[in-house]
């Protein structure tokens, strides 16, 4: 009766979690990176294409998960003799990726806070507070963080849509025309870059294990992905048509620039931008909390099986140090690029290893002596 | 914590009492001696000796004031004294049966096994009869004592709705509940709490709706409660709640019978304690704090509007002073220019930074509120005038605070009073100080962080195992009809998901 143990994530909550995991840093910079790489307003096509690709990846992940419901990928791989070592290596890769991602997000958050909210507070303090807060969230476990996402998701969504709706009046669609002036190839080439904004789906490798076997469905998750794609798509169109493609290139965070244009009810809210920043802090915080928890979980499950505060505290401390490794915004974004590439690699790698080990197990199983069955 | 309590409880049972022998005896003198050893020093325990049918000696014990004198006289002593034995030969057990069945006309009679039990009944106002030659302890339920009438509850005033409220007597309170809910499944279970006070309490729930595990959990936690006296349900509340460190109440209290049966019908468990007009309802969720029974009595548009207003008020009560501090000291750009200029104009000459200013005013307000409660009601009004008008106006004129600050504090105060449950509004007021401090140090960023912290705390909070934030998280979209708005009653067909219930449907159509 006590809702303490055995929390299982319902499909809707999982979808919301995925959405809040994805909607983080990417959205602020996506218009600029796409404008830089494409030089045209065709970024929205690239977003649609990568959205479809990511939906494919999610499909593959969920299909893989169906072979071992109730277990995470690493646990599954680790069951057999050789797999143990592969699982350990993968876990280490994941851990490194998570902790660097955590540090990166925290650092970007600090930069934003310093830029728009607190220009005199030392970043060391801001960063420390953010990391401590997310460490507190981590102490509440999977259920706590999923529910936290659910609590915050409506605010995040409402603010993004306000941003879009109140900019409709300022839109000039001719900025987006002509479509595909340079042909389809540059758009295709920019797809991997765009997929970086969808990073976060690696969460599925770990948290699908908390779902009931019957709840493992692709559709709710892909509706989540579709939703994210829609938000990216709308934001891109609005940003380009309001600020113009060339204008976007010169702004560090174009979406914040977009917020500057909003004026609701003649000066009642003259500056939408701080509100936007506030909600965006919450959005990025939810991502950080998830990543933080994933880092802690990976260590706890694969390496040091120890309860208590030591592991989360250590991880928070390491993330704090990593966050201050880059010295400037450019370096931070270089780090971001590396992290994204690493993430993509790890996702592909684990998919590959996952399917490979499923295939191997099936092969073993078909020989009659080995009747140690799979769950499905 | 509970495990520790249980351990202690078990340890107590093993411990032996080293007092004099307490045993039943056939000899009346020994029996009287034993009883007097226990309660004889109290002058309000009355001992009445008489002879049954003019030869069998007997003694009657009762507590003066707790027991109903004239009924003891008319219905116990009189028949016993005038009873003639009619030459029938009785064995001793037969005598007792005969007396109880054919002589005494009292309704509630029980025989107690041990002297301990008998004394306990005696002390709660029942009458104890001991007869020479018979080792039985006969107890008549003669309890009757003064009680306050059924009045309108002071702490929960509503416009539309029943005017009766609980009083301090357990049986009256249970009666008030039972009178409104005639379902035979309404289960009332009595027990006693406190090693010395032995206060009666009742667990009330509806069988078939309330989850059995929940009832078991409530019973378990209550039985783990080991104190010498229980003064009020507020004490129980603090012992049985899930998280002692949380500022949010995890058990709700009410003085209203109609609210109580509303809670019962949602599958909650009610704890009634003798001596307190407040009953406890559990488990609760955050949304329960914002609901008033009156919401169901008004038309749905009105109720929805008022509920939205309440959520807004809660937000204001917690965040408004913090926002003011943040905007004035960090983000002047957020305020529309003209307004910003006028704020700056009024703040001219104020010697303190906004944080100190706000803190001073908020503290003053809390002081006024506290003073207003403690004073006799006739003088209480003065505090309002002195505090609000004289101090507020004088402070502004003297240039200690700015007029805008006074407005902010006043709005916050009014907002915090519009929360239906009084103890919750205190929670919000405490959180307000946290927000103010973080706003003073970190501006808007601090407010966001404190908002996140409050949310993290809330999602991890449980009330008797129920998710505190339900139906916000976990999502229960259907229940949103009765959350921040109140949809027409026709649409509200199901009971909420928290607490878990055995019967989901409120009605079929």
């Amino acid at each position: 009766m006590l809702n303490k143990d055995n929390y299982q994530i319902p499909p809707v909550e999982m979808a919301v979690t995925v959405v809040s995991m994805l909607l983080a840093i990417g959205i602020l910079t996506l218009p600029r990176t796409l404008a830089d790489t494409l030089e045209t307003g065709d970024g929205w096509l690239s977003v649609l294409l990568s959205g479809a690709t990511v939906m494919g990846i999610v499909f593959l992940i969920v299909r893989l998960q169906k072979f071992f419901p109730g277990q995470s990928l690493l646990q599954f791989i680790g069951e057999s003799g050789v797999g143990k070592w592969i699982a350990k290596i993968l876990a280490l890769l994941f851990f490194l990726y998570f902790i660097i991602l955590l540090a990166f997000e925290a650092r970007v958050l600090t930069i934003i806070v310093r830029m728009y909210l607190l220009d005199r507070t030392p970043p060391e303090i801001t960063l420390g507070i953010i990391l401590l807060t997310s460490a507190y969230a981590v102490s509440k476990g999977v259920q706590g963080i999923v529910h936290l996402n659910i609590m915050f998701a409506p605010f995040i969504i409402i603010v993004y849509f306000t941003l879009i709706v109140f900019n409709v009046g300022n839109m000039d669609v001719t900025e987006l025309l002509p479509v595909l002036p340079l042909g389809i190839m540059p758009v295709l080439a920019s797809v991997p870059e765009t997929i970086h904004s969808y990073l976060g789906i690696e969460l599925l490798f770990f948290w699908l294990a908390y779902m009931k076997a019957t709840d493992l469905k692709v559709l709710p998750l892909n509706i989540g992905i579709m939703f994210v794609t829609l938000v990216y798509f709308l934001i891109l169109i609005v940003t380009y048509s309001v600020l113009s493609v060339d204008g976007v290139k010169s702004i560090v965070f174009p979406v914040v620039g977009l917020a500057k244009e909003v004026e609701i009810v003649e000066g009642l809210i003259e500056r939408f931008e701080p509100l936007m920043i506030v909600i965006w802090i919450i959005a990025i915080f939810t991502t950080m909390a998830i990543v933080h928890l994933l880092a802690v979980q990976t260590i706890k499950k694969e390496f040091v099986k120890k309860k208590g505060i030591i592991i989360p505290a250590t991880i928070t401390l390491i993330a704090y140090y990593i966050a201050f490794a880059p010295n400037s915004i450019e370096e931070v974004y270089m780090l971001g690029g590396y992290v994204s590439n690493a993430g993509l690699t790890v996702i592909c790698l684990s998919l590959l290893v996952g399917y490979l080990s499923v295939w191997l197990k099936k092969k073993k199983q078909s020989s009659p002596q080995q009747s140690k069955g799979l769950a499905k | 914590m509970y495990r520790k309590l249980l351990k202690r409880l078990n340890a107590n049972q093993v411990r032996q009492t080293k007092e004099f022998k307490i045993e039943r005896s056939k000899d009346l003198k020994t029996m009287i001696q034993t009883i007097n050893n226990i309660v004889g020093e109290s002058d309000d325990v009355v001992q009445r000796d008489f002879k049954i049918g003019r030869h069998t000696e007997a003694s009657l014990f009762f507590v003066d004031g707790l027991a109903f004198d004239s009924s003891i006289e008319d219905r116990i002593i009189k028949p016993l004294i005038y009873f003639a034995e009619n030459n029938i030969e009785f064995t001793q057990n037969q005598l007792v049966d005969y007396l109880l069945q054919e002589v005494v006309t009292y309704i509630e009679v029980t025989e107690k096994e041990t002297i301990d039990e008998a004394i306990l009944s005696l002390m709660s106002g029942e009458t104890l009869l001991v007869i020479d030659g018979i080792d039985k302890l006969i107890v008549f339920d003669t309890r009757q004592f003064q009680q306050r009438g059924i009045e309108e509850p002071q702490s929960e005033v509503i416009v539309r709705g029943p005017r009766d409220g609980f009083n301090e007597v357990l049986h009256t309170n249970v009666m008030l509940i039972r009178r409104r809910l005639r379902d035979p499944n309404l289960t009332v279970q009595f027990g006693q709490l406190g090693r010395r006070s032995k206060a009666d309490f009742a667990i009330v729930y509806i069988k078939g709706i309330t989850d059995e595990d929940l009832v078991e959990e409530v019973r378990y936690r209550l039985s783990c409660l080991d104190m010498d006296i229980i003064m009020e349900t507020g004490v129980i509340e603090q012992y049985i709640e899930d998280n002692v460190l949380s500022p949010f109440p995890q058990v709700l209290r009410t003085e209203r019978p109609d609210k109580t049966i509303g809670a019962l019908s949602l599958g909650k468990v009610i704890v009634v304690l003798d001596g307190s007009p407040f009953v406890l309802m559990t488990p609760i969720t955050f949304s329960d704090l914002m609901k008033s029974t009156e919401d169901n009595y008004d038309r749905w548009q009105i109720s929805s509007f008022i509920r939205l207003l309440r959520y807004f008020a809660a937000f204001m009560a917690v965040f408004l002073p913090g926002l003011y501090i943040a905007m004035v000291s960090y983000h002047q750009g957020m305020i529309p220019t003209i307004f910003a200029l006028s704020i700056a104009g009024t703040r001219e000459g104020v010697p303190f930074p906004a944080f100190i200013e706000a803190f001073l005013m908020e503290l003053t307000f809390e002081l006024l509120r506290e003073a207003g409660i403690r004073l006799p009601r006739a003088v209480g009004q003065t505090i309002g005038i002195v505090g609000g008008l004289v101090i507020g106006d004088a402070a502004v004129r003297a240039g200690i605070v700015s007029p805008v600050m006074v407005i902010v504090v006043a709005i916050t105060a009014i907002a915090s009073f519009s929360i239906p449950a009084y103890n919750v509004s205190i929670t919000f007021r405490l959180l307000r100080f946290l927000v103010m401090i973080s706003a003073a140090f970190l501006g808007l960023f601090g407010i966001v962080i404190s908002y996140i912290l409050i949310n993290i705390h809330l999602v991890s909070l449980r009330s008797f195992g129920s998710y505190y934030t339900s139906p916000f998280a976990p999502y229960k979209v259907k229940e949103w009809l009765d959350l921040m708005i109140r949809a027409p009653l026709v649409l509200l067909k199901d009971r909420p998901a928290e607490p878990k219930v055995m019967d989901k449907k409120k009605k079929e159509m």
Side-chain angles (χ1 to χ4, degrees):
Chain A
M1 159 229 159
L2 296 171
N3 291 330
K4 258 179 188 153
D5 311 314
N6 302 326
Y7 169 71
Q8 285 182 316
I9 311 177
V12 183
E13 293 183 11
M14 192 70 210
V16 176
T17 311
V18 169
V19 171
S20 31
M21 176 84 180
L22 297 195
L23 285 180
I25 294 179
I27 197 163
L28 284 196
T29 49
L30 181 67
R32 183 170 51 88
T33 40
L34 275 182
D36 279 342
T37 43
L38 284 177
E39 301 286 331
T40 58
D42 291 333
W44 55 273
L45 263 172
S46 171
V47 163
L48 292 183
L49 282 175
S50 26
T53 318
V54 171
M55 278 159 76
I57 299 179
V58 170
F59 172 75
L60 285 179
I61 297 177
V62 175
R63 231 198 95 186
L64 179 63
Q65 181 69 31
K66 279 184 182 163
F67 290 108
F68 44 87
Q71 271 183 312
S72 74
L73 177 69
L74 294 181
Q75 280 171 327
F76 174 71
I77 297 173
E79 271 179 352
S80 58
V82 194
K84 212 172 182 180
W85 292 105
I86 299 175
K88 285 248 191 287
I89 293 168
L90 261 184
L92 191 67
L93 287 179
F94 264 120
F95 171 70
L96 286 176
Y97 163 63
F98 285 142
I99 200 162
I100 296 173
L101 182 62
L102 175 66
F104 168 67
E105 306 229 347
R107 183 64 194 273
V108 176
L109 194 55
T110 317
I111 292 171
I112 295 263
V113 168
R114 194 172 168 75
M115 203 179 257
Y116 293 100
L117 291 178
L118 298 169
D119 45 3
R120 277 172 302 176
T121 310
E124 287 83 0
I125 290 179
T126 330
L127 188 75
I129 288 171
I130 296 166
L131 278 174
L132 282 178
T133 313
S134 87
Y136 177 46
V138 166
S139 72
K140 304 303 181 195
V142 174
Q143 173 269 329
I145 286 186
V146 170
H147 282 182
L148 202 60
N149 287 326
I150 293 173
M151 297 283 278
F152 291 146
F155 296 108
I156 298 168
I157 291 163
I158 287 173
V159 163
Y160 280 132
F161 275 96
T162 321
L163 191 66
I164 292 162
V165 168
F166 281 90
N167 263 311
V168 169
N170 307 332
M171 273 170 68
D172 175 15
V173 190
T174 49
E175 285 289 336
L176 291 170
L177 300 175
V179 179
L180 292 178
L182 302 174
I184 190 90
M185 285 322 285
V187 173
L188 285 181
S190 73
V191 167
E193 178 80 27
T194 320
I195 288 185
H196 288 171
S197 302
Y198 287 90
L199 276 179
I201 45 170
E202 63 274 8
L203 140 93
L204 294 176
F205 286 123
F206 297 86
W207 284 10
L208 283 182
Y210 292 96
M211 292 178 78
K212 264 187 251 166
T214 46
D215 282 347
L216 285 173
K217 286 179 196 131
V218 188
L219 189 65
L221 296 178
N222 270 345
I223 289 177
I225 303 284
M226 254 179 334
F227 181 80
V228 175
T229 313
L230 181 75
V231 172
Y232 283 168
F233 171 75
L234 288 175
I235 287 280
L236 267 187
I237 288 199
V238 174
T239 334
Y240 286 160
S241 54
V242 172
L243 300 173
S244 85
V245 178
D246 289 326
V248 165
K249 279 191 215 163
S250 59
I251 306 176
V252 188
F253 300 112
V255 177
V256 182
L258 199 60
K260 276 191 180 150
E261 306 286 322
V262 175
E263 192 167 307
I264 300 168
V265 205
E266 289 302 316
L268 178 68
I269 301 178
E270 194 160 299
R271 297 272 212 88
F272 188 62
E273 155 207 353
L275 188 64
M276 158 91 198
I277 294 288
V278 161
I279 298 297
W280 188 77
I281 290 176
I282 293 179
I284 211 166
F285 173 80
T286 57
T287 311
M288 273 179 60
I290 297 172
V291 175
H292 205 153
L293 181 60
L294 282 173
V296 173
Q297 278 184 335
T298 329
I299 286 291
K300 274 192 179 169
K301 283 196 176 144
E302 295 296 328
F303 299 104
V304 196
K305 291 191 172 61
K306 205 173 176 186
K307 282 184 176 174
I309 201 171
I310 301 171
I311 294 171
T314 321
I315 288 174
T316 313
L317 205 66
I318 297 174
Y320 188 84
Y321 275 104
I322 298 175
F324 278 112
N327 291 318
S328 60
I329 296 191
E330 287 74 33
E331 279 185 38
V332 170
Y333 270 93
M334 251 164 69
L335 179 71
Y338 293 145
V339 170
S340 306
N341 285 328
L344 218 56
T345 321
V346 179
I347 290 177
C348 296
L349 203 64
S350 8
L351 261 181
L352 201 72
V353 175
Y355 272 104
L356 211 65
S357 55
V358 164
W359 180 68
L360 278 176
K361 272 211 177 164
K362 267 200 173 158
K363 214 174 153 193
K364 256 189 196 173
Q365 218 176 22
S366 56
S367 55
Q369 291 90 348
Q370 301 260 338
S371 57
K372 204 180 143 199
L374 288 166
K376 219 175 195 178
Chain B
M1 186 191 154
Y2 296 110
R3 200 167 296 152
K4 236 187 237 170
L5 280 172
L6 187 72
K7 235 184 228 169
R8 229 190 296 158
L9 193 78
N10 289 338
N12 280 336
Q13 284 168 349
V14 182
R15 204 188 299 155
Q16 296 285 325
T17 48
K18 52 179 173 64
E19 286 168 23
F20 50 87
K21 242 183 183 175
I22 302 178
E23 267 177 358
R24 286 184 301 174
S25 148
K26 284 197 174 185
D27 184 32
L28 182 65
K29 286 228 173 74
T30 334
M31 199 74 130
I32 293 176
Q33 186 72 43
T34 316
I35 295 173
N36 276 334
N37 270 337
I38 302 174
V39 293
E41 282 171 38
S42 303
D43 294 334
D44 61 341
V45 180
V46 179
Q47 178 188 350
R48 169 76 158 84
D49 302 325
F50 61 98
K51 284 183 177 169
I52 299 176
R54 290 175 198 147
H55 53 79
T56 315
E57 287 197 23
S59 275
L60 206 61
F61 293 87
F62 61 92
V63 178
D64 200 14
L66 287 182
F68 191 29
D69 290 14
S70 65
S71 82
I72 297 176
E73 190 186 326
D74 288 345
R75 294 196 277 170
I76 302 172
I77 300 184
K78 245 186 214 166
L80 283 176
I81 289 183
Y82 291 137
F83 149 71
E85 230 166 289
N86 293 340
N87 303 324
I88 314 167
E89 281 296 318
F90 291 111
T91 66
Q92 287 166 334
N93 281 346
Q94 278 174 329
L95 177 66
V96 175
D97 289 341
Y98 183 78
L99 286 178
L100 295 185
Q101 284 167 12
E102 301 194 22
V103 180
V104 179
T105 54
Y106 214 81
I107 314 171
E108 281 182 68
V109 187
T110 43
E111 281 178 29
K112 297 287 179 193
E113 287 298 316
T114 62
I115 290 198
D116 274 344
E117 285 175 43
I119 293 291
L120 187 57
S121 311
L122 175 63
M123 296 324 285
S124 64
E126 299 181 19
T127 301
L128 173 63
L129 173 69
V130 281
I131 304 169
D132 190 26
I134 298 170
D135 66 339
K136 282 197 169 163
L137 299 157
I138 302 154
V139 170
F140 302 95
D141 190 356
T142 50
R143 281 179 289 181
Q144 186 153 54
F145 33 83
Q146 296 299 316
Q147 58 172 292
R148 190 163 61 95
I150 295 168
E151 291 158 17
E152 189 172 2
Q154 297 284 319
S155 68
E156 287 164 277
V157 184
I158 61 176
V159 181
R160 170 83 187 261
R163 296 267 179 262
D164 56 346
F166 292 126
N167 67 9
E168 283 78 6
V169 180
L170 177 69
H171 290 273
T172 316
N173 295 349
V174 173
M175 177 272 287
L176 282 174
I177 298 172
R178 180 75 83 176
R179 212 171 53 133
R180 287 183 159 79
L181 229 164
R182 292 177 189 169
D183 187 351
N185 287 319
L186 177 72
T187 313
V188 182
Q189 291 172 337
F190 291 110
Q192 280 168 342
L193 274 180
R195 266 193 281 165
R196 285 185 190 283
S197 65
K198 299 280 184 202
D200 289 317
F201 74 92
I203 297 177
V204 186
Y205 63 95
I206 300 181
K207 223 190 294 167
I209 296 180
T210 312
D211 192 26
E212 289 295 332
D213 290 340
L214 173 64
V215 181
E216 201 49 50
E217 181 72 23
V218 174
R219 216 177 279 143
Y220 169 66
R221 290 195 194 176
L222 282 172
S223 68
C224 289
L225 210 150
D226 181 29
M227 287 182 74
D228 53 351
I229 55 165
I230 306 282
M231 288 174 285
E232 221 270 339
T233 38
V235 179
I236 299 182
E237 185 184 331
Q238 292 172 57
Y239 274 93
I240 62 172
E241 61 190 1
D242 295 51
N243 186 346
V244 185
L245 297 175
S246 171
F248 289 91
Q250 297 130 58
V251 176
L252 212 57
R253 58 199 192 197
T254 182
E255 280 188 88
R256 307 194 64 87
D258 55 335
K259 190 166 182 174
T260 311
I261 63 159
L264 279 171
S265 79
L266 297 181
K268 299 184 188 199
V269 176
I270 305 292
V271 178
V272 193
L273 179 75
D274 192 36
S276 166
F278 290 97
V279 306
L280 300 180
M281 322 193 282
T282 190
I284 55 160
T285 62
F286 181 80
S287 60
D288 286 336
L289 309 179
M290 297 298 199
K291 288 177 184 169
S292 155
T293 28
E294 211 181 352
D295 295 349
N296 290 321
Y297 304 152
D298 275 318
R299 311 205 53 250
W300 69 274
Q301 297 95 333
I302 304 169
S303 306
S304 302
F305 172 68
I306 290 174
R307 273 217 191 140
L308 282 172
L309 208 63
R310 262 186 226 136
Y311 276 91
F312 181 63
F315 179 80
M316 299 269 269
V318 179
F319 290 103
L320 190 66
L323 280 173
Y324 175 78
I325 294 172
M327 290 209 188
V328 169
S329 27
Y330 289 95
H331 319 287
Q332 293 91 345
M334 264 183 85
I335 317 168
T337 322
I338 303 169
F339 189 42
L341 285 177
S342 77
I343 289 182
T346 55
R347 277 190 52 76
E348 204 175 340
V350 176
F352 309 114
F355 170 63
I356 305 282
E357 192 190 350
F359 222 86
L360 273 178
M361 283 308 283
E362 289 291 346
L363 274 182
T364 317
F365 157 66
E366 295 295 327
L367 262 177
L368 285 174
R369 188 193 58 80
E370 184 63 18
I373 295 175
R374 299 295 153 236
L375 274 179
R377 202 155 297 164
V379 201
Q381 302 264 330
T382 337
I383 282 293
I385 296 165
V386 173
L389 297 179
V390 182
I391 296 187
D393 190 46
V396 171
R397 276 167 199 259
I400 300 174
V401 291
S402 69
V404 182
M405 188 66 236
V406 176
I407 296 174
V408 168
V409 171
I411 294 177
T412 327
I414 294 168
S416 72
F417 285 134
S418 61
I419 311 295
Y422 176 69
N423 48 347
V424 184
S425 73
I426 299 179
T427 304
F428 286 147
R429 291 209 299 268
L430 286 180
L431 290 177
R432 172 200 306 161
F433 284 101
L434 171 87
V435 174
M436 278 164 65
I437 292 170
S438 41
F441 284 109
L442 295 164
L444 212 48
F445 177 65
I447 295 180
V448 179
I449 291 292
S450 52
Y451 179 72
I452 292 175
L453 286 176
I454 293 172
N455 271 288
I456 296 175
H457 172 70
L458 280 178
V459 293
S460 73
L461 199 57
R462 301 280 187 288
S463 163
F464 279 80
S466 288
Y467 292 121
Y468 203 65
T469 43
S470 167
F472 293 107
Y475 273 134
K476 302 284 171 205
V477 182
K478 255 191 193 169
E479 282 173 43
W480 288 17
L481 289 174
D482 189 17
L483 186 63
M484 295 173 86
I485 57 161
R486 205 221 75 210
L489 290 174
V490 201
L491 292 175
L492 307 175
K493 290 175 192 161
D494 292 346
R495 296 178 220 283
E498 301 285 355
K500 286 198 186 78
V501 286
M502 292 161 80
D503 180 12
K504 201 93 192 67
K505 282 256 176 281
K506 235 191 249 179
K507 57 184 175 202
E508 291 300 328
M509 287 292 286

